[in-house]
Amino acid sequence: MTATTPTPPTAPRSGEWPTGEPPPSSPASLEVLVHRLDPGLPLPTYAQPSDAGADLATTQDVTLAPGERAIVGTGLSIALPAGYAAFVHPRSGLAARHGLTVVNAPGTVDAGYRGEIKVNLINTDQSESITLRRGDRVAQLVIQRVEHAVFREVADLPESVRGTGGFGSTGGFGHSSDGGPRREDHGVRSRS
Ligand SMILES: O=c1ccn([C@H]2C[C@H](O)[C@@H](COP(=O)(O)OP(=O)(O)OP(=O)(O)O)O2)c(=O)[nH]1
């Protein structure tokens, strides 16, 4: 038998997928058990093969007045493998067009949760109501691996470049690294 010499990997060019191949058109798949509490509604659906979020539909009609919240059902319960969580995110289009978002974005669905996935919606528009009909796609579910930390208490933490600088410590709207004058946000006030 002739020994084959393994082909050395070619170094990826800048911007290229590391193997030299085009990137996969869809992410690696994970089997997630799903139970339809409302068989009239679809399973979570990825609108495009490479989407991170699978759309979730509301089980009920609801009208949200400006500033109003509502918890809607999705008719779905799932069993995630241990080490995963699902996150209920808003849909960008509804947020941009109507101000519809998720109050607790992203909502966290724990691996052990077997109840119905619910969506806590809020209409942030100041003047327009929004009416959602049963079956409308109101949110998206992103499934991710999560780590469980082992919290090890120490007297001092290792140093870092940011250190203890928190909210706004790198400046206002201006870029902090371009050497130019920074546009600070002194004039910006949040409404109370
Ligand atoms: O947008 C969401 C967020 C949560 N849940 C469900 C799944 C989750 O596992 C459970 C509890 O959520 P979370 O832990 O965020 O809520 P909590 O207020 O901390 O409640 P708990 O004391 O039950 O942990 O509620 C949803 O259906 N939708």
Side-chain angles (χ1 to χ4, degrees), residues 60-152:
Q60 64 208 70
D61 295 348
V62 64
T63 296
L64 295 172
E68 196 178 0
R69 304 197 299 259
I71 297 177
V72 300
T74 62
L76 300 167
S77 56
I78 59 175
L80 289 163
Y84 287 82
F87 298 96
V88 179
H89 286 261
R91 294 189 64 217
S92 307
L94 295 178
R97 283 197 299 279
H98 302 287
L100 184 75
T101 190
V102 172
V103 177
N104 54 325
T108 305
V109 179
D110 302 291
Y113 180 68
R114 298 289 180 269
E116 182 181 16
I117 297 174
K118 303 252 176 86
V119 184
N120 194 352
L121 293 169
I122 183 166
N123 175 8
T124 65
D125 196 277
Q126 295 189 6
S127 53
E128 299 284 322
S129 293
I130 180 169
T131 295
L132 303 164
R133 299 283 181 214
R134 171 182 160 79
D136 283 350
R137 296 173 298 149
V138 293
Q140 55 183 323
L141 196 68
V142 176
I143 293 174
Q144 291 182 288
R145 285 194 76 104
V146 290
E147 301 293 334
H148 248 207
V150 176
F151 293 100
R152 180 162 60 90

